[in-house]
Amino acid sequence: MSAPVLQTDLAVIGAGPAGLSAALAAARAGARVLLLDEYSQPGGQYMKQLAQGFSVPDTSRLDDEMQRGAALAQAVRDAGVVIEPSTLVLASFAPGELAISRRGEPALVRARAIVVATGAHERAIAFPGWDLPGVMTPGGAQTLAKTQRVLPGRRIVLAGSGPFLMPVAKSLLAIGAEIVAVFETTRPRAWSPHVLRLAGHGERVREALAYRRMLRAARVPVHFNHIVVEAVGTDAVERVRVVPCDDAGRVRIGAGYREIEADALCVGYGFVPAVQLTRALGCAHRHAPVRGGWVPEHDQDMRTTVANVFVAGEVAGIGGAPVAAAEGQLAGLAAARTLGCTVDDRALAQARRERAHRRRFADLVGELFPVKPAYYAPITDATIVCRCEEVTAGEVRRAAAEWGGELNFIKGVTRCGMGYCQGRICGSIVEALVCQTLGIHPGSAGALTVRTPLKPVPVEVLAGLAND
Amino acid sequence: MSDDAIRPGEPLTIRVDGRELPATRGQTVAGALLANGIRVLRHTRRMGRPRGVFCGMGACYDCIVHVNGAPGLRACLTPVEPGMDVRLPKQFGPDPQP
């Protein structure tokens, strides 16, 4: 082997709330922990850190998530965890072994246990013009604003569905953005039957109310029961078309569209678990719409169906940072015990309870903001759905009609999901289109096979991983 | 977080398709391009459609550009450096043609 080999007890993949918490719990229990993260600084998406190069004379003036992320990352380092930033996991060719690209150089990790905490991608849903420059995910816009104080545009429309639109609005407003309007496909009245289930989650409810007040103070109009149907522009988005919709997300017949001038449209419909690595590791997955789609199966201690592989956070089911941290803590303790470290029974029981409590709220949010079939209705046959390979919805629908409801056949016929992103963006859209075309149940069309390397790397890196 | 709480990185210059553009240390290539009003980062190889920053977190690969002769780098994850040579792929999308 020409690539260096890194030996460790526990490898944790992903340094967001889940991965940091898992690494901390396991290290404090006595395990040797290696934490691999794709980004240049730990924190993940939720606790994104200010870009290196920017400076803050008074760190207490950074937002809460940045401060918490910095403190947690420091605690993880203090516990003796080795953090490897700018590191991609490319493949796993043997149990406990990960082929990685560490800041552009190949290496192998050999670990006795693995915690996968790879988080999620935003759920983008296609519509005509969604590939125009200026259309981006809310999270992408938030990252630009928070980490490097760059705005996605001068007139911003924020749209889609789910609680995440609120913190994005906050981050944009904090650096002086003009948010022309927020369009949310659901409406608060549709949530009221669930209000009793909010008991015991007062902190999260107060958070939501604070966002509402913030938008009102900034005079940002919020329109419920509205859906984006088109982005219009020549070289980039110039106008956004929005229509009223009912509680099922269906466009109201005859309502007519409203056109808003904007040079940025940030639109997203929640998140999709990033299961590429759990798939590559051979974990069994199940389709759980309330958790965001395909998720790895796991037991009460976050153990997957593959020996010594655990999951935590968004990859195990969408739920937000509190459940991610709780699952990280639980997975870290459970992994440490598996490795032979002494883990107090009460600590483990407490971690299980905390995780269950947080997951209940997360599942409620998942139920309040389901991905409704009508969200895919604006997709015309000419709309590109696979952005990498430029495959249109018409091609996917025709392939489904001709070849049937098996996603990997559709992929083979149309090339959708074969590009650089490996279906991270289009996978859930293609799945919905195929199931809708054939009238079959979501989740019954199989899943796109993942291919190694899980993300593109120069061929030199792969060559470095080959046997001599 | 208010304006004066954060100081941007030191100013520097990058070259984009031969044009010198201001940036600050800590920005990514994507951030620097957007801050300069450049939204179109490349054109696709099949249909020649314009593309820009989409996911902003390294997942979608829509923002790939050529940096210092290396093809296919994600602008959203690549930090700017003084004198960096950035080329925006035209028509041929992600394939190398620096």
Side-chain angles (χ1 to χ4, degrees):
Chain A
M1 239 12 120
S2 51
V5 177
L6 315 174
Q7 302 271 5
T8 188
D9 291 335
L10 178 67
V12 178
I13 324 303
L20 286 168
S21 303
L24 185 60
R28 284 186 175 161
R32 215 164 27 133
V33 183
L34 183 62
L35 175 55
L36 312 174
D37 191 64
E38 177 168 9
Y39 302 104
S40 58
Q41 298 184 86
Q45 298 301 317
Y46 179 73
M47 301 186 297
K48 307 179 175 89
Q49 298 297 297
L50 196 61
Q52 282 156 333
F54 285 68
S55 57
V56 196
D58 176 6
T59 52
S60 71
R61 296 181 65 183
L62 287 173
D63 67 39
D64 287 354
E65 294 84 13
M66 280 190 182
Q67 293 190 42
R68 271 188 283 157
L72 186 53
Q74 193 52 50
V76 164
R77 286 192 195 94
D78 291 345
V81 173
V82 177
I83 304 180
E84 293 284 4
S86 301
T87 297
L88 279 169
V89 176
L90 304 174
S92 177
F93 298 117
E97 195 175 282
L98 302 168
I100 66 171
S101 166
R102 184 172 51 159
R103 294 175 287 288
E105 300 291 331
L108 278 178
V109 171
R110 292 219 177 93
R112 294 167 54 215
I114 294 172
V115 174
V116 180
T118 44
H121 309 119
E122 275 174 277
R123 182 188 302 278
I125 296 185
F127 50 84
W130 77 305
D131 60 331
L132 280 172
V135 180
M136 66 177 80
T137 64
Q142 187 190 40
T143 299
L144 284 165
K146 271 180 88 158
T147 66
Q148 38 184 315
R149 306 173 66 71
V150 170
L151 285 170
R154 289 193 191 85
R155 286 174 57 83
I156 304 165
V157 168
L158 194 54
S161 187
F164 181 55
L165 297 179
M166 295 296 105
V168 172
K170 182 183 176 184
S171 302
L172 294 172
L173 291 170
I175 64 161
E178 188 196 342
I179 301 178
V180 188
V182 177
F183 296 99
E184 159 68 54
T185 52
T186 60
R187 61 172 174 148
R189 185 167 295 176
W191 312 333
S192 52
H194 304 277
V195 77
L196 287 177
R197 292 166 62 195
L198 293 172
H201 300 285
E203 163 207 346
R204 306 302 311 273
V205 175
R206 279 190 291 279
E207 203 181 314
L209 294 173
Y211 285 132
R212 290 292 298 279
R213 281 196 300 277
M214 167 200 77
L215 289 175
R216 220 170 289 143
R219 294 171 193 284
V220 176
V222 180
H223 303 280
F224 294 103
N225 278 148
H226 276 73
I227 185 168
V228 169
V229 293
E230 188 170 359
V232 185
T234 311
D235 282 326
V237 61
E238 294 160 21
R239 297 183 306 283
V240 179
R241 286 183 182 164
V242 181
V243 298
C245 62
D246 65 15
D247 285 339
R250 287 179 302 234
V251 168
R252 290 226 179 92
I253 305 297
Y257 61 78
R258 174 197 305 221
E259 210 168 70
I260 297 115
E261 272 184 46
D263 60 357
L265 166 60
C266 306
V267 54
Y269 291 84
F271 299 88
V272 181
V275 295
Q276 285 73 23
L277 180 56
T278 49
R279 293 258 189 218
L281 288 166
C283 304
H285 289 67
R286 68 189 179 96
H287 196 259
V290 81
R291 304 251 163 112
W294 290 99
V295 289
E297 288 177 24
H298 60 78
D299 69 6
Q300 63 164 357
D301 289 334
M302 309 310 295
R303 195 179 278 106
T304 69
T305 56
V306 174
N308 299 336
V309 175
F310 298 75
V311 285
E314 302 289 73
V315 66
I318 303 308
V323 70
E327 289 186 349
Q329 160 90 3
L330 175 55
L333 290 176
R337 175 173 276 192
T338 298
L339 291 164
C341 302
T342 309
V343 173
D344 183 44
D345 276 337
R346 278 167 311 179
L348 200 59
Q350 169 57 29
R352 283 180 193 142
R353 277 196 301 274
E354 172 70 6
R355 184 259 165 188
H357 171 70
R358 297 293 188 177
R359 196 38 99 178
R360 271 193 295 276
F361 179 79
D363 284 349
L364 171 57
V365 174
E367 282 178 53
L368 294 182
F369 298 94
V371 184
K372 296 169 185 166
Y375 294 170
Y376 298 89
I379 306 177
T380 61
D381 274 352
T383 306
I384 286 171
V385 291
C386 170
R387 302 164 67 98
C388 300
E389 296 297 310
E390 299 179 80
V391 180
T392 65
E395 289 174 80
V396 170
R397 288 172 177 142
R398 278 192 298 278
E402 189 169 341
W403 293 89
E406 166 49 58
L407 286 182
N408 286 305
F409 266 80
I410 311 292
K411 178 180 176 181
V413 172
T414 65
R415 296 194 57 81
C416 67
M418 274 193 203
Y420 275 50
C421 91
Q422 282 221 44
R424 285 175 175 86
I425 306 297
C426 73
S428 60
I429 307 172
V430 170
E431 182 176 39
L433 288 182
V434 167
C435 293
Q436 289 187 10
T437 300
L438 299 175
I440 59 176
H441 202 266
S444 61
L448 294 177
T449 307
V450 299
R451 299 287 178 202
T452 53
L454 298 175
K455 286 204 173 176
V457 283
V459 72
E460 294 84 353
V461 175
L462 298 180
L465 290 164
N467 287 309
D468 290 327
Chain B
M1 153 170 87
S2 70
D3 264 9
D4 50 345
I6 291 169
R7 293 183 191 150
E10 62 193 82
L12 52 88
T13 305
I14 60 171
R15 266 209 328 269
V16 178
D17 284 343
R19 237 172 91 206
E20 297 214 325
L21 292 179
T24 65
R25 192 176 289 281
Q27 282 180 333
T28 59
V29 172
L33 291 171
L34 280 171
N36 280 284
I38 298 174
R39 288 191 288 167
V40 182
L41 270 57
R42 68 181 179 100
H43 286 80
T44 61
R45 56 192 164 170
R46 197 172 143 202
M47 301 181 186
R49 290 174 68 92
R51 290 284 170 83
V53 179
F54 183 67
C55 81
M57 58 174 281
C60 77
Y61 285 78
D62 246 354
C63 69
I64 49 179
V65 296
H66 307 316
V67 176
N68 293 335
L73 272 81
R74 290 169 286 179
C76 71
L77 294 189
T78 308
V80 292
E81 278 164 24
M84 179 179 258
D85 183 46
V86 178
R87 308 255 165 175
L88 307 181
K90 300 280 181 321
Q91 296 300 326
F92 296 101
D95 292 333
Q97 45 116 36

